Amino acid sequence: MASNRGGHKGRSRRHARAAGPAMLFDLDGTLVDAVYEHVLAWHQALQQKKIALPCWRIHRQIGLSGKSFLPMLFREIGIERNPTEIEELEELHLEIYMSRIERVRLLPGARELLAHLSEIGIPWAIGSSGEPKAVEPILKLLGVPDSAPVILAKQIERGKPNPDVFVKAAEKLKVSPSDAVVVGDSVWDLLAAQRAKALGVGLLCGGYGQAELEAAGAYRIYSDPGDLLNHLEELGVRETD
Amino acid sequence: MASNRGGHKGRSRRHARAAGPAMLFDLDGTLVDAVYEHVLAWHQALQQKKIALPCWRIHRQIGLSGKSFLPMLFREIGIERNPTEIEELEELHLEIYMSRIERVRLLPGARELLAHLSEIGIPWAIGSSGEPKAVEPILKLLGVPDSAPVILAKQIERGKPNPDVFVKAAEKLKVSPSDAVVVGDSVWDLLAAQRAKALGVGLLCGGYGQAELEAAGAYRIYSDPGDLLNHLEELGVRETD
């Protein structure tokens, strides 16, 4: 399918090679339990700037960049902030989040899922709206080699729910997005998947309800990466010998 | 309907009296933006005891007591803890939560909703699984008078999703639960409402998805207390003159 297999060229002695679609993963809320820390970091950053926004509204916007979601939420509560103030809020959020990042843990099965895909030769990549500084320690936790294709918001023009991050990730794997599966925890991932003509798979571990993910077009829904790993055949991943 | 009107005997000069069902409110996630702080306080308490539970699973259990939900989650991940250890975890959670309580804010419209119900003479009460120590500062924020009927988990035998807290709250208002509306943000509130034969109304501001609340029997769903306040007529609250 592709010569570039996302830095996971090792073949297991235990596992056969497999046929199946390439997999494009979101990071925060999908592979790592970072959503709730992000929510409270945003909440605290906004409080410091005397802006009152309830946590659940922030939760539903995680996965979008602050630049995308803050103007929307501000419109809802009838306030305005200029681009400089938005950037200050983004910096403040990052600072608060980084001060807590040592409490962030991988989601169950995340490391094992990526390792297994590598072993059986299924190409995979990561596409995230995260800041490089926040993403780097998480990739270390995941045991992702430096050579693995990771596309961050900074490298693309338009963030989620635009399809760019996953289109670029598929490009890196030399596959068509329409032959790939996008795995994400937020409706923004699933909308980006639809726009990339990829199959969207939802994970509940970011805290969205099942029906919200279904309504955004999820083809299948799993609890977390470990649950997905146990049901890979449902996504057309089949060991070939 | 009742002689005891939940500590809100004042009549507004602006507002007419109203007819309508008594209202029984959950507190955390319904009137006050405390759910996400609770989630991370539990997460941190569990981490300190070397127990790994993802935030989303904790989120879906908020509203139950630790004594109720911890054994379930532990069973899911295949560990056991004795009642003393569960109590220690509850104390640790409370300690961490209290250290952050100054960041907890009322949800939009919460104070105004209670004040308006008092003004128009609709009886209301609060029923919460919270600890007295954690609830007290929130009631102050809400401007709830000491005379207002507030039923806490400590005062009843069986916590939510058992109906006891709302049955007792209705008793205090001298109304039948089946003539009352239970307003809550969690499926546990709505299940308790069903078991109390009360009408359940869901609020999205605790972070559940709309479909989750509908599936648990919500008769109507609003974003937050302010949204409910704007649609009181939908619940049969009608100003009479």
Side-chain angles (χ1 to χ4, degrees):
Chain A
M1 195 190 267
S3 59
N4 179 340
R5 295 198 171 273
H8 34 80
K9 289 177 184 132
R11 295 190 192 192
S12 161
R13 284 177 205 103
R14 288 182 301 112
H15 290 284
R17 300 288 293 172
M23 297 215 175
L24 314 175
F25 293 96
D26 169 56
L27 187 60
D28 290 345
T30 297
L31 296 173
V32 65
D33 197 9
V35 166
Y36 290 76
E37 290 288 359
H38 275 303
V39 170
L40 283 186
W42 276 117
H43 191 246
Q44 209 176 320
L46 290 159
Q47 272 190 356
Q48 286 186 24
K49 298 286 184 183
K50 312 283 180 219
I51 300 170
L53 272 175
C55 291
W56 75 285
R57 290 200 190 271
I58 300 170
H59 185 184
R60 289 312 191 267
Q61 305 289 340
I62 298 292
L64 298 181
S65 68
K67 259 180 212 60
S68 296
F69 82 77
L70 290 175
M72 280 194 288
L73 292 184
F74 291 170
R75 219 175 288 136
E76 279 183 19
I77 60 173
I79 68 172
E80 261 183 62
R81 290 293 183 274
N82 64 41
T84 316
E85 290 169 303
I86 301 266
E87 259 173 45
E88 278 170 21
L89 277 165
E90 284 190 306
E91 278 163 29
L92 197 50
H93 157 262
L94 183 60
E95 191 185 302
I96 297 167
Y97 176 75
M98 290 307 290
S99 74
R100 297 171 176 173
I101 200 167
E102 88 286 351
R103 291 212 293 263
V104 171
R105 296 285 181 275
L106 295 183
L107 283 158
R111 203 182 161 102
E112 294 78 1
L113 173 61
L114 297 186
H116 180 75
L117 293 176
S118 297
E119 277 177 352
I120 62 173
I122 296 286
W124 57 265
I126 291 172
S128 167
S129 308
E131 290 290 321
K133 196 173 150 186
V135 167
E136 203 179 302
I138 303 298
L139 295 180
K140 280 217 174 71
L141 276 182
L142 275 171
V144 169
D146 292 342
S147 57
V150 177
I151 311 293
L152 299 187
K154 299 274 169 199
Q155 297 162 251
I156 50 160
E157 207 163 309
R158 308 172 307 163
K160 300 172 193 173
N162 291 295
D164 306 29
V165 66
F166 294 126
V167 169
K168 187 108 179 173
E171 233 175 76
K172 275 245 191 182
L173 297 179
K174 300 199 172 75
V175 300
S176 161
S178 62
D179 291 330
V181 172
V182 164
V183 181
D185 69 296
S186 78
V187 302
W188 317 118
D189 297 314
L190 295 167
L191 296 178
Q194 287 201 48
R195 289 182 56 190
K197 315 283 184 292
L199 205 64
V201 166
L203 299 188
L204 295 171
C205 46
Y208 274 88
Q210 171 134 353
E212 293 173 275
L213 301 181
E214 283 167 355
Y219 160 76
R220 286 295 286 164
I221 294 176
Y222 302 99
S223 296
D224 54 36
D227 188 25
L228 191 160
L229 174 58
N230 285 335
H231 297 88
L232 272 176
E233 286 85 350
E234 292 184 355
L235 305 180
V237 175
R238 198 172 46 78
E239 303 199 2
T240 48
D241 56 76
Chain B
M1 197 192 268
S3 59
N4 178 338
R5 295 200 171 272
H8 34 83
K9 288 175 186 137
R11 295 189 193 194
S12 162
R13 283 174 206 107
R14 289 181 298 112
H15 291 284
R17 300 286 294 170
M23 295 214 177
L24 314 176
F25 292 97
D26 169 55
L27 187 61
D28 290 346
T30 297
L31 297 171
V32 66
D33 196 10
V35 167
Y36 291 76
E37 290 288 359
H38 276 303
V39 169
L40 283 187
W42 276 116
H43 192 247
Q44 209 177 321
L46 289 159
Q47 272 190 355
Q48 286 185 26
K49 298 286 184 181
K50 312 284 181 218
I51 301 169
L53 272 175
C55 291
W56 75 285
R57 290 199 189 271
I58 300 170
H59 184 184
R60 290 311 192 266
Q61 305 289 338
I62 298 292
L64 298 182
S65 68
K67 258 179 214 60
S68 296
F69 83 75
L70 290 175
M72 280 193 290
L73 292 184
F74 291 171
R75 218 175 291 135
E76 280 183 19
I77 60 172
I79 67 171
E80 261 182 63
R81 290 292 182 273
N82 63 45
T84 316
E85 291 169 304
I86 301 266
E87 261 173 45
E88 278 171 22
L89 276 164
E90 284 190 305
E91 278 163 29
L92 196 50
H93 157 262
L94 183 60
E95 191 185 301
I96 297 168
Y97 175 75
M98 290 307 291
S99 74
R100 298 172 176 172
I101 199 164
E102 89 285 352
R103 291 210 293 263
V104 170
R105 298 284 180 277
L106 294 183
L107 283 158
R111 205 184 160 101
E112 295 79 2
L113 172 62
L114 297 186
H116 180 76
L117 293 176
S118 297
E119 277 178 355
I120 62 175
I122 295 287
W124 58 265
I126 290 172
S128 167
S129 309
E131 291 290 320
K133 195 173 153 185
V135 166
E136 207 180 299
I138 303 300
L139 295 179
K140 279 217 176 70
L141 276 181
L142 276 170
V144 169
D146 291 342
S147 57
V150 177
I151 311 293
L152 299 186
K154 300 273 172 200
Q155 297 162 251
I156 50 159
E157 209 164 305
R158 305 173 309 163
K160 298 175 194 168
N162 291 295
D164 306 31
V165 68
F166 294 125
V167 168
K168 188 109 179 174
E171 233 174 75
K172 275 247 191 180
L173 297 179
K174 299 198 174 77
V175 301
S176 160
S178 62
D179 291 330
V181 172
V182 164
V183 182
D185 69 294
S186 77
V187 300
W188 317 117
D189 297 314
L190 295 166
L191 296 178
Q194 288 201 46
R195 288 181 56 188
K197 315 284 184 292
L199 206 64
V201 166
L203 300 187
L204 296 171
C205 46
Y208 272 86
Q210 170 133 351
E212 293 173 275
L213 301 181
E214 281 167 355
Y219 160 78
R220 287 295 288 164
I221 293 175
Y222 302 100
S223 296
D224 53 36
D227 188 26
L228 190 159
L229 174 58
N230 285 336
H231 296 87
L232 271 176
E233 286 86 350
E234 293 183 353
L235 305 180
V237 175
R238 196 174 44 81
E239 302 201 1
T240 49
D241 54 79

